[in-house]
Amino acid sequence: MSFGQETRVIVAEPALGVTTARDLAVLESLHAGLQRTLVGEGLPHLLVLRESAMVGLVQASSSAVRRAFVKAGTPAEGFLLGIGRDSAGVGHVVDSYHDAQLALRVLRRDGAGRRLMAYEDFDFATRLFSDVGLDRMGEWAKELLRPLEDKQTMLATLSIYFEHQQNIMTAADALAVHHNSLRYRLSKIESALDLNLRDPSAISSLFLALTALSMVEAESWDQRRIRPVGREEQSGEIRGAGATGSVLADPERGLALSARFGAALGPER
């Protein structure tokens, strides 16, 4: 694999999440099916299974990745695929990874039923989020949502509200509350944040802020889960499909690659 050619991070997750052993089996099936397809297409790649997702680095255009995902067939059904930007070098891999995560979040709140999204598909607001960067967006998000930082119920309410495309009835059902109770909570949120949830700019700002916070928390959890490299990993052998760890060679951006992907899987291995 060379960064002299177009190279992108991909993340695939079950549309409904992983909740049962059967979901894990389906995830493993997708991992095997997509790997066979990529090998058949001659596309260099790294793929690894995580607890609830498949993460990969593929040396191909976004259109080639889309074709491979669709060609994988049945294993790809019921999954969402996020495709990050072209990584011009190792230092941009983390940016591409964040793009893929952001694409999944947009797909989950999208009522159009799309299953695939690449960095090039982002709308203006989402592209802004992606290009500004996670650290800065996380700081802005905390500043915007500070009035709710000690009100976890309100934050959860807001998240569910957006996950259900601002539909009061379905969001209330998901929260197991009466729709009037949800309306009351939303009015309290509007008062606390001094904004109007009917204002498009407020809606986009809150969605991006909540997304930023969730991604910051997810990255923090990833870092806590990194484990030391053992003898087998040092020799290049990773045991178990879910292996995800190695020591960060560089705590900065790009050399987190080994910790994020764990094992190299390609036509020659």
Side-chain angles (χ1 to χ4, degrees):
M1 179 172 285
S2 167
F3 287 95
Q5 301 181 46
E6 193 168 355
T7 305
R8 297 167 180 269
V9 174
I10 64 171
V11 180
E13 293 181 350
L16 300 178
V18 172
T19 58
T20 67
R22 181 180 180 279
D23 295 330
L24 291 174
V26 173
L27 186 60
E28 291 173 357
S29 177
L30 173 64
H31 176 266
L34 185 59
Q35 183 167 295
R36 283 194 299 269
T37 302
L38 292 172
V39 170
E41 297 289 327
L43 300 175
H45 60 281
L46 305 170
L47 292 180
V48 67
L49 282 176
R50 308 189 75 175
E51 290 181 352
S52 59
M54 183 192 68
V55 184
L57 186 67
V58 182
Q59 192 168 302
S61 65
S62 62
S63 58
V65 173
R66 290 174 193 265
R67 288 194 299 271
F69 185 73
V70 172
K71 192 173 181 179
T74 302
E77 295 176 2
F79 279 84
L80 303 176
L81 178 69
I83 306 171
R85 74 187 72 184
D86 176 22
S87 300
V90 175
H92 296 280
V93 168
V94 174
D95 291 331
S96 188
Y97 176 68
H98 289 156
D99 294 340
Q101 287 185 310
L102 181 57
L104 290 176
R105 283 163 173 76
V106 174
L107 287 171
R108 289 191 186 283
R109 71 180 292 269
D110 184 6
R114 291 181 295 174
R115 295 173 53 229
L116 313 174
M117 176 172 284
Y119 171 78
E120 289 79 7
D121 301 324
F122 289 171
D123 60 20
F124 179 83
T126 310
R127 182 74 64 89
L128 175 65
F129 176 100
S130 183
D131 286 359
V132 166
L134 182 60
D135 291 341
R136 183 170 295 180
M137 287 296 290
E139 293 172 2
W140 292 349
K142 290 176 183 177
E143 182 179 345
L144 174 63
L145 298 172
R146 185 164 287 117
L148 301 180
E149 64 181 348
D150 296 324
K151 301 177 176 64
Q152 295 303 312
T153 298
M154 293 299 185
L155 281 173
T157 295
L158 200 53
S159 295
I160 294 296
Y161 179 62
F162 281 113
E163 286 177 12
H164 290 268
Q165 293 82 47
Q166 299 90 58
N167 184 307
I168 291 285
M169 303 306 290
T170 59
D173 287 343
L175 289 164
V177 300
H178 192 272
H179 58 85
N180 285 335
S181 296
L182 176 55
R183 290 189 175 90
Y184 175 75
R185 288 187 191 179
L186 293 175
S187 69
K188 296 291 286 184
I189 290 171
E190 288 179 318
S191 297
L193 299 178
D194 191 25
L195 49 74
N196 188 330
L197 285 172
R198 290 178 295 277
D199 181 351
S201 65
I203 292 172
S204 61
S205 295
L206 285 174
F207 168 69
L208 293 176
L210 289 168
T211 299
L213 285 185
S214 67
M215 291 178 70
V216 167
E217 291 170 0
E219 178 157 288
S220 175
W221 175 248
D222 283 347
Q223 296 300 325
R224 290 197 297 272
R225 292 180 64 245
I226 292 172
R227 59 184 174 80
V229 178
R231 292 180 180 274
E232 291 171 345
E233 284 88 347
Q234 289 173 345
S235 67
E237 181 181 356
I238 304 293
R239 294 194 182 277
T244 59
S246 67
V247 170
L248 291 177
D250 183 336
E252 300 299 326
R253 299 156 57 83
L255 296 183
L257 179 63
S258 60
R260 291 204 177 274
F261 295 103
L265 302 172
E268 73 285 355
R269 293 188 61 181

